[in-house]
Structure formats: structure tokens, C-alpha cells
Amino acid sequence: MRNITTLLVMLLANRYDSPKQASICDAIPPLPFQERIRLVEQFSRIDEFDSGEEPDERQLKKLQRHSSRKDYRSVLLQFFVRELGHEIAFFQTIEQQEQYRHLLVVTTDEWLYSVSLRQWPEYKQIWTVDIYGGCLLVDRAEI
């Protein structure tokens, strides 16, 4: 059975874009089926969430002037670096609703996050981080 370090090395070796670039990849790199199951099992166990950005009307008006706020990938990357101090290895959209996008995020330092982004149609379609929750990735034997 692979340990978590081996899994992450494999994941990072297969990522499509460097997270330091302006764009990051919205797709889980090719993984063996069992590794995907392990990620989903651990992702489904995240049950404690924190509020993300909580902008008021004045802040939303200010944010709508930033073109980067119209790209959810950019908002996600900036939030992780600025607020959480993590670099994203990859992420995958799990569900998309009218004004929300729910994502699985894995960082380069072995954290797994569940993140919900909110789009604001009344403020030029900008995105904000609504809620997030995370945990350290663990080996399958530890689950």
C-alpha cells in the first residue's frame, strides 16, 4: 500500500500547471481508482467549516472592480495563498449550482479541503470564498 508521501509525489508529478502560474488546473490528475476512492472518502468526512470571505455591500462594490475576481480559479488561488498560507497542487469541481461551485482541493503540503465559492451576479459576476474546511491527508489504513 502506498504511503501518503508517495501518493502526493505521484499527484504532483502529474499536475498540469504549476500553482505559481496565473492559472491552475481544475482536474484531478490521472490516479488509480483506489486512490480516487480514498480521496473521496476522506473528503466526505470533512465536517467542520469556517467562513471564507464575508464581504458587505461596500466591499462587494470594491471587489467588482478587480477583473481577477471574475475568474473563480484566480479567487481560489489567491485565497489559499493569502489567507491559508497553502499552495494548491490541484483541485476538482465536485458540484456546480446556479451561484455556487463546490470544490475538492489538495495542497502541496498534504492538506485536503472542501471549498464553496459563491458568484455574485449583481456585482458583475465576481466570485468569493463562501466556506471551507480541511484536514491533513492520511493513509488509507488510518481512515
Side-chain angles (χ1 to χ4, degrees):
M1 177 60 74
R2 290 188 189 113
N3 66 27
I4 194 64
T5 304
T6 304
L7 171 63
L8 283 175
V9 168
M10 183 180 78
L11 293 176
L12 297 175
N14 289 322
R15 73 178 169 207
Y16 300 108
D17 294 319
S18 168
K20 293 181 182 175
Q21 296 174 353
S23 66
I24 51 179
C25 187
D26 185 7
I28 293 178
L31 291 174
F33 184 69
Q34 291 296 352
E35 300 301 341
R36 285 181 179 255
I37 289 173
R38 187 188 63 75
L39 276 178
V40 171
E41 285 174 350
Q42 191 169 350
F43 178 79
S44 67
R45 288 190 167 95
I46 297 173
D47 61 359
E48 291 186 29
F49 291 86
D50 292 312
S51 295
E53 302 167 301
E54 298 183 79
D56 59 23
E57 185 176 346
R58 182 184 57 78
Q59 291 166 321
L60 287 166
K61 286 180 180 179
K62 186 177 177 181
L63 290 174
Q64 73 183 353
R65 291 186 233 141
H66 300 280
S67 60
S68 64
R69 282 287 176 166
K70 295 179 183 177
D71 177 12
Y72 75 92
R73 291 171 188 89
S74 178
V75 170
L76 183 68
L77 177 62
Q78 290 174 18
F79 181 80
F80 267 76
V81 171
R82 185 184 66 243
E83 299 297 325
L84 302 179
H86 293 290
E87 182 179 332
I88 295 174
F90 66 88
F91 67 93
Q92 177 70 52
T93 297
I94 301 299
E95 182 181 3
Q96 188 172 354
Q97 299 168 340
E98 192 170 313
Q99 295 175 6
Y100 290 90
R101 184 179 285 262
H102 306 286
L103 304 141
L104 175 153
V105 178
V106 174
T107 66
T108 57
D109 56 350
E110 301 185 2
W111 278 81
L112 173 65
Y113 281 91
S114 174
V115 181
S116 290
L117 299 175
R118 178 178 179 185
Q119 189 173 37
W120 298 82
E122 63 275 21
Y123 294 96
K124 298 185 179 180
Q125 303 293 337
I126 64 170
W127 290 93
T128 59
V129 175
D130 192 39
I131 61 170
Y132 67 95
C135 62
L136 272 170
L137 280 168
V138 295
D139 285 329
R140 189 174 209 9
E142 296 177 39
I143 295 178

